[in-house]
């Protein structure tokens, strides 16, 4: 669950930056988060697979991780 919380914090950063109205800031934060997510996703999948996760269990875990950032970004943007 730690990486899902981490991903949600990434989404908070993206939503906050987008709420600032500063396009350069929004773009920079979004690109930084995206570049950061790629190796983290591979690392998470590799770790879970080495721990014996497979099939639907693995898919659901990766999808929860993938959905955390955009969901929190949308929520933060909506609140601000």
């Amino acid at each position: 669950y730690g990486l899902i919380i981490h991903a949600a914090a990434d989404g908070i950063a993206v939503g906050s930056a987008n709420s600032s109205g500063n396009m350069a800031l929004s773009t920079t934060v979004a690109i930084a988060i995206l570049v950061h997510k790629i190796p983290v996703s591979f690392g998470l999948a590799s770790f879970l697979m080495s721990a014996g996760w497979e099939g639907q269990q693995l898919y659901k875990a990766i999808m929860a991780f993938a959905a955390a950032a955009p969901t929190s970004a949308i929520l933060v943007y909506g609140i601000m």
Side-chain angles (χ1 to χ4, degrees), residues 4 9 24 32-33 36 38 52 56 59 64 79:
I4 293 174
I33 297 297
H36 167 75
I38 294 168
Q56 287 294 334
Y59 177 79
I79 291 170

Side-chain angles (χ1 to χ4, degrees), residues 3 37-50 62 65:
L3 278 178
K37 286 248 177 262
I38 294 168
V40 172
S41 299
F42 281 110
L44 176 61
S46 297
F47 175 77
L48 293 176
M49 289 170 62
S50 71
I62 298 296
F65 173 72

Side-chain angles (χ1 to χ4, degrees), residues 12 15-17 19-20 75-80:
I12 291 169
S16 298
S19 294
S20 73
L75 290 173
V76 167
Y77 182 74
I79 291 170
M80 298 182 101

